[in-house]
């Protein structure tokens, strides 16, 4: 079932892209299709995002992006601090929004101290942490996903990445790339 939904979303995205090239955005007749964020992979810096001062967007050949050249990094500095990266999109009535994102974790920690909480706040639903990632997240890119479900009214959805680091027991850097917002 999940594979079918994913294939359908990709097909819809291709249709929207093709239609967009010829006829502009066909939003009126396909409101529940396509990727709707203007800068999901950080190739345009923090455009479309609200980013804390210590979040950097890297283009680093020795620590490559998931795709493209850039990604957001909550740098492991081994200082006590927190940082927030977030963005808000509109979810039309009767649409489901699926947020997919990739995270890579580079760490010197051997126990949970630094963490990255990923949340999704949707109109009418209390904000909720969907993932709480830490040192054991893996040094290779891994994909995660979360969905809003559907409602009969238009809603907003805010995806947030909240990183917290504590000094003194190793450092963990969380890299985030390709945060896609797909309607279905
Ligand atoms: Ca990227």
């Amino acid at each position: 079932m999940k594979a079918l939904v994913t294939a359908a979303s990709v097909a819809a995205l291709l249709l929207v892209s093709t239609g967009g090239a010829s006829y502009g955005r066909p939003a009126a007749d396909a409101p529940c299709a396509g990727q709707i964020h203007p800068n999901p992979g950080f190739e345009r810096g923090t455009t479309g995002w609200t980013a804390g001062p210590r979040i950097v967007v890297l283009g680093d050949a020795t620590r490559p992006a998931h795709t493209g050249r850039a990604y957001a990094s909550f740098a492991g500095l081994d200082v006590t601090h927190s940082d927030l990266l977030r963005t808000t999109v509109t979810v039309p009535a009767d649409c489901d929004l699926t947020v997919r994102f990739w995270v890579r974790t580079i760490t010197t920690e051997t126990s949970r101290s630094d963490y990255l909480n990923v949340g999704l706040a949707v109109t009418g639903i209390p904000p909720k942490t969907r993932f709480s990632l830490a040192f054991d997240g893996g040094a290779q890119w891994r994909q995660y996903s979360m969905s809003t479900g559907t409602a009969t009214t238009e809603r907003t959805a805010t995806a947030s990445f909240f990183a917290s680091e504590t000094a003194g027991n190793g450092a963990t850097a969380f890299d985030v790339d390709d945060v896609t917002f797909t309607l279905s």
Side-chain angles (χ1 to χ4, degrees), residues 2-184:
K2 191 169 184 179
L4 286 174
V5 169
T6 301
S9 300
V10 170
L13 185 60
L14 289 172
L15 284 172
V16 168
S17 299
T18 306
S22 304
Y23 308 111
R25 293 187 67 177
D29 44 10
C32 295
Q35 199 291 114
I36 58 173
H37 197 276
N39 183 25
F42 304 99
E43 302 305 310
R44 297 166 58 201
T46 54
T47 298
W49 295 87
T50 301
R54 284 171 296 265
I55 296 167
V56 291
V57 176
L58 300 173
D60 184 345
T62 64
R63 197 167 136 189
H66 179 255
T67 61
R69 292 180 59 249
Y71 55 90
S73 183
F74 299 83
L77 303 173
D78 203 27
V79 295
T80 298
H81 73 283
S82 61
D83 263 315
L84 180 63
L85 175 72
R86 62 183 166 81
T87 190
T88 300
V89 299
T90 299
V91 184
D94 301 318
C95 296
D96 189 7
L97 173 74
T98 299
V99 182
R100 297 184 179 87
F101 58 96
W102 294 80
V103 177
R104 174 177 59 196
T105 309
I106 297 174
T107 188
T108 59
E109 290 187 319
T110 55
S111 64
R112 183 184 175 89
S113 173
D114 306 341
Y115 59 85
L116 177 67
N117 280 357
V118 184
L120 189 60
V122 186
T123 304
I125 303 173
K128 186 178 175 185
T129 296
R130 302 292 187 106
F131 299 95
S132 188
L133 309 175
F135 76 103
D136 53 354
Q140 304 298 319
W141 289 105
R142 288 186 189 174
Q143 191 180 36
Y144 302 83
S145 73
M146 52 191 181
S147 297
T148 61
T150 58
T152 56
T153 55
E154 180 181 287
R155 297 169 293 166
T156 61
T158 299
S160 60
F161 296 83
F162 177 81
S164 177
E165 182 170 15
T166 305
N169 43 8
T172 298
F174 299 99
D175 298 336
V176 176
D177 201 2
D178 291 328
V179 189
T180 59
F181 297 78
T182 306
L183 297 175
S184 61

